[in-house]
Amino acid sequence: MKMICPFCLHHCRLEEGQTGLCRARKNVGGRSVAVNYGRLTALALDPVEKKPLRRFMPGSMILSAGSFGCNLRCPFCQNHEISMAGRESAAAAMTPEELAARARALAGNGNIGVAFTYNEPLVGWEYVRDTARLVRRLGMKTVVVTNGSVTDLVLDEILPVADAMNIDLKGFRESYYRKLGGDLETVKHFISRAAGACHVELTTLIVPGENDSDEEMEELAAWVASLNPEIPLHVTRFFPRWRMADARPTPVDTVYRLAERAAEALRYVYVGNC
């Protein structure tokens, strides 16, 4: 039975048994099923600032969990081994109950909850939702680190259980988003909704020759300020990775210059990777 996956901007048309572009969702009996449900490729206790979140419970630790799959194709992805992988990845099984229990057991180490990160967590949103509900019952927090490239069907499920998000706003040109396999308007809509429902911080990775103009940063910051000038923005430095391994790192002065431009419109602007 053919079906159209309704959960992200690609709306993959899938034959029975076929997996979508994200490599994490499959047509099973005419339904889009997350084949990465409860399959973790990474688990680590990190400072919350590493997500990055600077204005959400600073000084805390958070149990960070990753699976496999992503619905974008950023050529500079630092986690491409898992984000671009499918079921062949070396993933360990962990139920929502087990992950929530692990988070609670680490409370004595300063852990405040669970962060879904490393790959794109919302291609397997059901696991995020189910775990987050349990984490909330324990009085702990849920963080989602995402590219924001999913539909309202996913947001409707995730926003009621998310306490904080870091959302990639990769640039402010539709042409650049198309290079990455995404859509700027989808991400802007996601950010607009999330900012009204939970704590939100944004990250923009500055890639030389792609999104490093003053004009683009000024437009990006002005749009974010139109939502709320107190939304923190992390302006971060690119380093060569994956299919851009031969590129040059972003000059440090470029990152600081663009952060200064953003700070003309936003109260909280942070520089990363410098």
Side-chain angles (χ1 to χ4, degrees):
M1 182 185 301
K2 294 182 180 180
M3 56 87 65
I4 298 175
C5 181
F7 298 126
C8 93
L9 72 161
H10 296 296
H11 298 291
C12 293
R13 296 175 179 270
L14 304 176
E15 300 283 350
E16 174 67 33
Q18 185 179 8
T19 301
L21 179 145
C22 67
R23 304 183 186 183
R25 305 201 70 88
K26 181 179 180 180
N27 179 353
V28 179
R31 295 175 53 247
S32 176
V33 174
V35 297
N36 66 351
Y37 188 99
R39 306 293 297 179
L40 297 187
T41 58
L43 192 64
L45 189 63
D46 288 333
V48 73
E49 289 84 358
K50 193 176 176 181
K51 297 307 97 191
L53 292 171
R54 287 289 295 273
R55 305 198 66 79
F56 180 77
M57 303 188 73
S60 302
M61 304 293 286
I62 192 157
L63 182 61
S64 301
S67 185
F68 61 82
C70 184
N71 56 348
L72 297 187
R73 288 294 180 268
C74 303
F76 45 75
C77 181
Q78 65 177 345
N79 292 323
H80 62 91
E81 297 91 347
I82 58 173
S83 65
M84 298 296 111
R87 296 190 70 175
E88 73 280 1
S89 63
M94 183 171 287
T95 66
E97 291 79 8
E98 289 169 335
L99 183 53
R102 181 75 63 90
R104 179 173 57 184
L106 290 169
N109 299 84
N111 182 42
I112 60 169
V114 176
F116 295 92
T117 180
Y118 303 135
N119 72 309
E120 172 47 54
L122 296 185
V123 296
W125 58 268
E126 297 95 331
Y127 183 68
V128 177
R129 177 200 61 193
D130 294 350
T131 306
R133 287 173 176 171
L134 298 174
V135 167
R136 178 158 288 188
R137 290 175 196 164
L138 295 173
M140 304 184 85
K141 305 297 184 184
T142 294
V143 169
V144 180
V145 181
T146 176
N147 62 34
S149 298
V150 294
T151 65
D152 280 332
L153 290 174
V154 177
L155 272 168
D156 290 344
E157 297 287 341
I158 296 301
L159 288 182
V161 294
D163 296 288
M165 291 189 181
N166 183 286
I167 306 166
D168 283 335
L169 181 54
K170 295 178 183 291
F172 215 64
R173 296 286 183 268
E174 187 58 53
S175 58
Y176 182 50
Y177 259 93
R178 282 197 296 269
K179 287 184 180 182
L180 308 181
D183 174 69
L184 175 59
E185 291 304 316
T186 297
V187 178
K188 288 169 65 178
H189 175 75
F190 184 103
I191 293 169
S192 297
R193 281 200 63 189
C198 66
H199 178 87
V200 165
E201 302 193 18
L202 306 176
T203 296
T204 300
L205 179 72
I206 304 302
V207 180
E210 296 290 355
N211 63 346
D212 57 350
S213 73
D214 288 14
E215 180 184 28
E216 182 171 349
M217 179 54 74
E218 289 164 1
E219 291 178 20
L220 183 154
W223 178 79
V224 175
S226 73
L227 299 178
N228 184 344
E230 297 200 352
I231 294 175
L233 175 66
H234 300 260
V235 181
T236 62
R237 188 185 185 203
F238 160 84
F239 286 100
R241 293 289 188 274
W242 196 31
R243 292 176 177 169
M244 294 185 68
D246 295 331
R248 62 185 178 89
T250 312
V252 171
D253 60 351
T254 298
V255 178
Y256 278 97
R257 187 191 77 241
L258 295 177
E260 289 175 2
R261 297 293 179 273
E264 294 171 4
L266 298 171
R267 183 173 180 183
Y268 302 112
V269 179
Y270 301 101
V271 167
N273 295 341
C274 289

